[in-house]
Amino acid sequence: MFSLKINKTIPEDFDCAGYRKYNLDVDNQSDEWLQWHYLVYGEHEKRVYKVNLPADFNVDDYRLLNTDISQQSNEWLEWHYEMYGRDEGRQYCIYRGVHPVQWSCNTLSVVERVEAWSKDALYKQELPTLIDSNTKNAIITFSSKDRNFLSKENRRYLSWISKQWNAELIIYDHALDILTEDQFKQVCSVKSFRPNILSYICKLLCIRKALNDYDKVLWLDDTCIVSPFAQNIFKVVPNNYIGALVIPFSCGLTESVSDFKYLQAHKNVSISDEYYNTGVMVIPSLYKDIFNFENIITHQDLFQSPYPTQAWLNYLTHVNKCNIFDVTCLYNMMPCCLDYSSVNWNTKDISHLHQNLLKYHIVHFTGFHRNRIEFHNKFFHLHQNTFNENITIVVMNFKRPDNIKNYLLPYYTNIPAVERVIVVHCLADSVFDYVSDKVQHVYEWDTDKTHGVFTRYIAARKYATTKCVLFTDDDVIITAKSMSVIYQKWKEDTNTIVGVEGRKLHKNTLVDEYEYKSFAFYGEVDIVLTSCCMTSIDNVVYACEHEHILRDYTTRTKTIWNGEDIFLCLLNVLHYNKPCYAVQVPMHTLNNTDYAISSSKQHTAERTTLINLFCNRFAFKESSTTIFTTPKYYLDNTINRNVVVRCSEGVGNQLRLFLAGTYLVKNGFINSFTQEWVLNNHNNVNFCDFFVVPIGVEVTNTYHQIPKCETITESTFRQMIQQYAPHIPWKVAILESFKYLHVKPCINDYIETFVANNNINNSVGIHARRTCKTAFLNNGSNTNRVLPITNKLITEICNNHSNIFLATDNRETQEYFKNNINSHVVVAANIPSGHEKHCYDIYSNEQVHRYTTDTHTIFDFLILKQCKMFVGSNESSFSLLVYYWRNNTLDYYIHGKL
């Protein structure tokens, strides 16, 4: 037993299980040892043994909302929130309702509910498939004497939206005029649940009339307000489909339940999962005959339903088997919970409610409450005051023209708030045509030769015609919902710069210099990246006027003016004494990420130099609210942090060193990492043939002794982590490090095909190394520590699973498994006879055949990772590497060598 002899008292709430869970380097110790360790080390190191997570903490949401740590395990994320996330104000929960219309039953306040809904909608960021068609479209809406929702301002705004969507706006102020005298007499005899049934029937006939002249008609209730960031709904709803918000019966909304019961009782029709709301509805001319007057009279009994036109339309489209496309609450957000009559809207502040609701494209204020008109008018007035600036988007075209032509321009030109997209062509060979009234092509390759990426600002200064300018990259799409949030934040103070990817100045306090670190921050920040950067044209002009101050340096960088976003942001912070702001909203990343500036090895160093030059030349002093000071444990400058590593062992150990060095570089513990990848009789795998070398890391092949420098010979992953990052549990580090190990596409394609063809995902993977790379000269001194290959456990595992994937370096072992195991045995490659090397058997110390190639070794490694279950040896560096890459999912391991 471990004896505790310490003059300290263990906390009453100390939890040994929690201490193991959040500190993987001590997870196999006894309770008594853990208590001793906490008192001696853990308390001083501020180790976590218990997390007090909020009741609604959702680890999956925390991962989704915080992309900089999205690759971590659940336990790590819980630990991170307890240690850092709470203090940093990180979001951790997305409201998850079963359907928007059920939110009216929620017990939260109106503002809390709408904020939760908008968060839910914001992170459902699937880009719509926009239809490229030249249909003739119309938006129709109705007005009547007893409703005053369509004010002059609202009509002008709807007219503007219609033009942006290339549609005709038709407002029926006197819908009754559409009826003939005979039709009027027939309609007057129709019985209805509603007293104003004439208006309802006239709406249907007006739609019929419009469909004679147009290919598609958008029926829009007069209580709807359209966001200027709304995508063109005519291009979202597929041709020959009716587009509407589908409300399943299971939601329990009054209208769906009432009509469902009515249709079932009077028409013997069950519309449980297809029922839709008609407040926002796209109708193609294909279905115009449904709206015939004969159908209205024939099925007039449906108007006795509490929701007459919805019951009538749902029935007719159901029996005619019309195609229905769900536009979701994004295009028909009905805040059913709003009790308009209980609030004096003339004095009520609804700005926060407005901000969240306008993350939806169309808001539809339903209900029969007394003060609904007052609320609607106040909401629209706030809407007009907020969205009174159009946006110019500026994107540079260099070597990814297909991204801009095929994705960015079709998307951005369909957002009404976007007045113009300026495409800055910086390379004559990549120029393309794209005809649109909203697209302006400018040709600035001469400017690019002298000003590089700063050309985006020069072009904006020349050609932008709006106050609001949005800079973005050619490999991302800022979705309309995200753009709305960014815009509203910018409107709070148009002197600020608002973006998505924030950075804070990182100061090394020992040497009193700044370092550029790619850590994501949100809220008030020093810098926002140009992947998404919204600012006023005045700030751009100001940056252009001061560009010459750093030109002597920026023209000498590999990428001319690398750090233009840093310059723009810091200059603005200096000028207005206000920080920039990063909004935590998602962006859609395109797959084509070639030619990224950040892929340059000099990228971080160049940006670091620029920050320090700026701060020196402008006498810049950082804001205490945004500065990110380097923790002390990063700053032990007695250690050389330009690390060169050489290991003459096999591929397993060399790979572990690569992972350790890459982890340390990526997390800022060392400045640079170079691995002398040794090729010899112990290792015939050329790393660069199979894996992509990450930015900031160098891997070079060597057969010779390296020059004198900092060298870690025969080192292990644990030793490297303990030397350079002693506060990080080494198991946490190794689990994190695998995200930097990227297989080359050609190799990955082969592996995926092999896995699919051989049912690897349902197989047991076994790593059975038969031989040792060096002779055991001690007459088998290790044989008492090994288990024979036919041991009971291995045999039992194999005989109880139908598929086995075997990784071995010995042909006899392959033959043994194939002939003696009652399973289907698959190998990456059959070991040929006559090509093996002679090596010592680890069981008998006698010479046996050993055969491995670089391809054979790596393929075994990559395939074992995807097996359903894995069996390996805890004394094999190769087995342990597979074990950790599988994120601690080793199902069995043998103490010794298989």
Side-chain angles (χ1 to χ4, degrees):
M1 294 291 293
F2 200 91
S3 177
L4 281 172
K5 295 181 180 179
I6 303 169
N7 295 325
K8 291 183 181 181
T9 304
I10 200 77
E12 292 183 0
D13 63 343
F14 184 82
D15 181 9
C16 291
Y19 200 60
R20 288 189 185 91
K21 181 179 181 180
Y22 300 112
N23 300 277
L24 297 181
D25 56 330
V26 297
D27 62 350
N28 59 350
Q29 304 295 339
S30 67
D31 288 358
E32 193 171 18
W33 189 94
L34 294 175
Q35 294 177 34
W36 169 84
H37 184 272
Y38 177 79
L39 293 175
V40 176
Y41 301 108
E43 185 178 18
H44 176 71
E45 296 170 357
K46 296 183 179 180
R47 293 202 180 209
V48 173
Y49 60 81
K50 184 179 181 180
V51 293
N52 298 310
L53 298 174
D56 57 346
F57 183 86
N58 186 305
V59 70
D60 293 325
D61 290 355
Y62 193 60
R63 178 180 286 109
L64 176 65
L65 294 171
N66 298 277
T67 55
D68 56 321
I69 54 175
S70 60
Q71 301 297 320
Q72 309 298 343
S73 66
N74 289 354
E75 292 79 6
W76 192 95
L77 292 173
E78 292 176 358
W79 167 83
H80 182 271
Y81 181 79
E82 179 71 15
M83 290 294 292
Y84 306 108
R86 181 183 283 108
D87 293 338
E88 294 172 1
R90 294 199 180 219
Q91 299 180 51
Y92 57 79
C93 182
I94 299 174
Y95 177 80
R96 299 187 181 279
V98 294
H99 197 275
V101 297
Q102 285 187 308
W103 293 327
S104 58
C105 304
N106 199 289
T107 58
L108 298 174
S109 70
V110 170
V111 172
E112 288 172 329
R113 259 175 282 175
V114 174
E115 187 171 10
W117 309 337
S118 63
K119 189 189 297 182
D120 192 30
L122 186 62
Y123 284 90
K124 293 176 180 175
Q125 287 289 305
E126 293 184 10
L127 292 176
T129 302
L130 298 179
I131 300 163
D132 187 15
S133 61
N134 296 317
T135 55
K136 188 179 179 182
N137 307 319
I139 299 174
I140 61 176
T141 188
F142 307 89
S143 179
S144 60
K145 294 180 180 179
D146 60 331
R147 297 162 67 98
N148 190 27
F149 294 105
L150 293 178
S151 62
K152 290 182 179 179
E153 293 79 10
N154 203 344
R155 289 169 185 252
R156 283 197 296 266
Y157 179 71
L158 276 177
S159 177
W160 177 75
I161 288 289
S162 301
K163 290 178 181 178
Q164 298 298 312
W165 286 357
N166 194 27
E168 188 76 21
L169 175 65
I170 304 172
I171 299 178
Y172 289 96
D173 290 304
H174 306 285
L176 291 177
D177 294 344
I178 200 169
L179 292 170
T180 65
E181 184 177 350
D182 182 58
Q183 288 175 338
F184 181 80
K185 292 178 181 179
Q186 294 184 64
V187 169
C188 286
S189 64
V190 173
K191 297 180 180 180
S192 174
F193 180 86
R194 301 286 178 94
N196 55 341
I197 189 59
L198 277 175
S199 297
Y200 286 94
I201 293 176
C202 288
K203 286 182 181 181
L204 298 174
L205 292 175
C206 288
I207 292 172
R208 175 65 176 84
K209 180 181 178 182
L211 288 173
N212 283 332
D213 302 321
Y214 298 94
D215 300 316
K216 290 182 181 180
V217 166
L218 170 61
W219 171 354
L220 200 64
D221 269 7
D222 56 354
T223 59
C224 291
I225 294 181
V226 182
S227 166
F229 293 93
Q231 280 280 296
N232 187 341
I233 194 171
F234 293 107
K235 293 194 173 186
V236 172
V237 178
N239 294 329
N240 299 328
Y241 274 75
I242 291 176
L245 169 65
V246 176
I247 308 173
F249 171 75
S250 58
C251 289
L253 188 67
T254 303
E255 59 186 271
S256 61
V257 173
S258 300
D259 284 348
F260 175 81
K261 291 180 178 178
Y262 189 90
L263 290 172
Q264 198 169 44
H266 294 81
K267 293 293 187 179
N268 195 27
V269 168
S270 176
I271 307 178
S272 58
D273 296 323
E274 303 170 3
Y275 183 88
Y276 54 86
N277 177 272
T278 59
V280 179
M281 188 177 179
V282 177
I283 310 156
S285 59
L286 175 67
Y287 299 128
K288 63 183 179 181
D289 290 339
I290 289 177
F291 298 86
N292 286 340
F293 186 76
E294 292 75 14
N295 280 335
I296 292 175
I297 299 304
T298 302
H299 302 287
Q300 60 180 287
D301 56 323
L302 291 172
F303 294 122
Q304 297 183 51
S305 172
Y307 299 88
T309 50
Q310 287 192 175
W312 187 89
L313 265 171
N314 273 277
Y315 173 74
L316 267 294
T317 54
H318 176 77
V319 297
N320 284 280
K321 299 181 179 179
C322 299
N323 299 317
I324 307 297
F325 178 83
D326 185 8
V327 299
T328 73
C329 64
L330 187 61
Y331 283 92
N332 189 354
M333 174 57 199
M334 297 185 294
C336 312
C337 65
L338 291 174
D339 183 0
Y340 309 100
S341 61
S342 63
V343 176
N344 183 354
W345 296 110
N346 292 322
T347 59
K348 178 72 173 179
D349 181 11
I350 62 171
S351 57
H352 190 61
L353 186 68
H354 171 268
Q355 184 181 30
N356 282 293
L357 280 176
L358 261 296
K359 292 170 186 173
Y360 298 85
H361 290 344
I362 300 178
V363 184
H364 178 199
F365 296 106
T366 59
F368 297 95
H369 303 294
R370 178 165 49 88
N371 293 341
R372 184 163 60 134
I373 292 178
E374 287 79 1
F375 172 81
H376 181 276
N377 290 341
K378 182 167 185 176
F379 189 94
F380 181 75
H381 180 70
L382 182 60
H383 177 75
Q384 289 290 87
N385 289 339
T386 302
F387 296 106
N388 57 3
E389 299 276 1
N390 286 345
I391 300 171
T392 297
I393 295 179
V394 178
V395 59
M396 293 180 69
N397 172 34
F398 188 61
K399 290 187 177 180
R400 291 184 286 212
D402 290 344
N403 280 3
I404 303 174
K405 182 178 181 179
N406 299 331
Y407 300 102
L408 274 67
L409 294 182
Y411 188 82
Y412 291 144
T413 54
N414 278 286
I415 298 176
V418 176
E419 179 174 298
R420 183 178 299 180
V421 181
I422 299 176
V423 182
V424 185
H425 296 282
C426 296
L427 198 65
D429 293 341
S430 64
V431 172
F432 62 87
D433 292 327
Y434 190 95
V435 180
S436 170
D437 293 339
K438 285 191 171 186
V439 176
Q440 180 179 3
H441 298 273
V442 300
Y443 309 97
E444 296 286 343
W445 41 76
D446 290 336
T447 308
D448 178 73
K449 292 176 182 177
T450 57
H451 289 81
V453 290
F454 201 92
T455 301
R456 70 176 87 230
Y457 300 148
I458 296 174
R461 183 185 186 183
K462 286 183 181 179
Y463 306 108
T465 56
T466 62
K467 180 178 181 180
C468 181
V469 181
L470 174 64
F471 296 98
T472 185
D473 286 342
D474 57 3
D475 58 348
V476 297
I477 293 179
I478 305 163
T479 62
K481 286 179 287 187
S482 295
M483 197 183 298
S484 172
V485 177
I486 296 164
Y487 176 87
Q488 290 185 68
K489 186 63 185 177
W490 175 77
K491 279 289 291 182
E492 293 177 9
D493 184 352
T494 57
N495 290 327
T496 60
I497 298 177
V498 181
V500 174
E501 297 183 271
R503 300 288 187 265
K504 291 187 178 183
L505 290 182
H506 183 116
K507 194 166 190 179
N508 185 325
T509 54
L510 290 183
V511 296
D512 197 31
E513 289 185 355
Y514 294 97
E515 299 172 350
Y516 179 78
K517 296 291 183 182
S518 299
F519 299 150
F521 289 91
Y522 302 98
E524 293 185 348
V525 294
D526 297 300
I527 303 161
V528 291
L529 305 188
T530 47
S531 56
C532 174
C533 173
M534 182 175 288
T535 186
S536 71
I537 189 62
D538 295 338
N539 292 338
V540 177
V541 172
Y542 190 72
C544 292
E545 291 173 347
H546 291 80
E547 173 268 340
H548 63 279
I549 296 176
L550 292 182
R551 192 182 303 165
D552 61 323
Y553 169 72
T554 56
T555 55
R556 291 185 284 108
T557 55
K558 181 175 182 180
T559 300
I560 298 176
W561 251 109
N562 179 13
E564 85 288 6
D565 46 359
I566 297 173
F567 181 80
L568 175 72
C569 292
L570 293 185
L571 193 65
N572 191 71
V573 171
L574 185 68
H575 185 56
Y576 292 105
N577 195 28
K578 294 178 182 178
C580 303
Y581 198 92
V583 182
Q584 194 168 10
V585 294
M587 292 189 298
H588 184 83
T589 303
L590 300 174
N591 292 330
N592 183 5
T593 57
D594 296 336
Y595 312 113
I597 293 175
S598 59
S599 63
S600 167
K601 291 182 179 180
Q602 293 85 11
H603 178 70
T604 299
E606 289 176 354
R607 291 170 76 84
T608 294
T609 302
L610 186 140
I611 291 174
N612 285 288
L613 283 174
F614 180 95
C615 294
N616 291 333
R617 295 183 183 183
F618 286 90
F620 181 82
K621 293 183 179 180
E622 70 277 358
S623 166
S624 60
T625 60
T626 62
I627 190 71
F628 174 51
T629 304
T630 308
K632 289 184 178 179
Y633 49 71
Y634 284 179
L635 301 175
D636 182 2
N637 286 337
T638 61
I639 300 177
N640 180 4
R641 297 192 177 273
N642 297 304
V643 180
V644 179
V645 174
R646 177 176 181 268
C647 173
S648 59
E649 293 190 8
V651 64
N653 281 326
Q654 295 207 47
L655 263 178
R656 283 199 284 183
L657 285 180
F658 163 82
L659 292 170
T662 304
Y663 171 85
L664 293 170
V665 166
K666 293 294 185 181
N667 289 276
F669 296 105
I670 59 177
N671 297 331
S672 65
F673 176 70
T674 300
Q675 180 160 2
E676 301 279 352
W677 191 268
V678 179
L679 296 171
N680 52 30
N681 63 320
H682 292 179
N683 172 40
N684 53 6
V685 175
N686 187 336
F687 179 92
C688 297
D689 288 346
F690 298 92
F691 299 100
V692 179
V693 180
I695 300 167
V697 175
E698 186 175 356
V699 177
T700 59
N701 293 332
T702 183
Y703 296 88
H704 308 289
Q705 182 68 33
I706 59 173
K708 185 177 181 181
C709 58
E710 180 175 357
T711 306
I712 304 175
T713 306
E714 310 297 326
S715 181
T716 65
F717 185 103
R718 185 187 305 195
Q719 289 171 338
M720 283 191 69
I721 298 300
Q722 289 175 345
Q723 180 172 358
Y724 291 97
H727 63 290
I728 299 294
W730 71 272
K731 286 187 179 179
V732 171
I734 196 169
L735 293 178
E736 276 194 66
S737 68
F738 277 102
K739 67 183 179 185
Y740 307 118
L741 186 64
H742 300 293
V743 183
K744 285 194 171 181
C746 57
I747 303 298
N748 189 65
D749 290 343
Y750 177 87
I751 295 299
E752 292 300 326
T753 302
F754 184 93
V755 167
N757 292 343
N758 293 280
N759 196 24
I760 294 300
N761 294 136
N762 292 313
S763 300
V764 177
I766 297 178
H767 176 227
R769 194 178 81 187
R770 177 70 176 174
T771 61
C772 186
K773 300 175 195 147
T774 55
F776 288 107
L777 302 178
N778 299 329
N779 296 320
S781 60
N782 286 348
T783 55
N784 62 333
R785 298 174 52 208
V786 300
L787 298 174
I789 201 162
T790 57
N791 72 79
K792 182 179 179 181
L793 177 60
I794 293 296
T795 304
E796 180 180 342
I797 292 171
C798 294
N799 288 337
N800 283 283
H801 292 83
S802 58
N803 293 301
I804 302 295
F805 174 75
L806 175 65
T808 185
D809 55 0
N810 177 255
R811 186 169 62 85
E812 286 78 14
T813 303
Q814 281 189 356
E815 296 298 324
Y816 176 86
F817 268 77
K818 291 179 179 180
N819 296 330
N820 295 281
I821 302 299
N822 297 325
S823 301
H824 177 62
V825 178
V826 176
V827 294
N830 289 309
I831 297 177
S833 176
H835 292 79
E836 305 95 330
K837 296 179 181 178
H838 289 283
C839 241
Y840 283 85
D841 185 0
I842 59 177
Y843 309 121
S844 63
N845 202 29
E846 298 175 354
Q847 284 198 348
V848 295
H849 288 142
R850 173 176 179 264
Y851 177 88
T852 55
T853 67
D854 54 350
T855 303
H856 186 206
T857 302
I858 295 300
F859 282 4
D860 282 348
F861 178 62
L862 299 176
I863 295 168
L864 285 171
K865 195 256 182 183
Q866 300 201 44
C867 290
K868 180 179 181 181
M869 186 166 65
F870 173 54
V871 183
S873 165
N874 74 333
E875 291 198 10
S876 165
S877 60
F878 188 98
S879 281
L880 288 173
L881 204 60
V882 175
Y883 162 56
Y884 287 119
W885 201 12
R886 289 169 58 89
N887 200 15
N888 281 337
T889 54
L890 176 65
D891 300 276
Y892 298 95
Y893 68 88
I894 307 303
H895 290 281
K897 300 178 176 62
L898 290 179

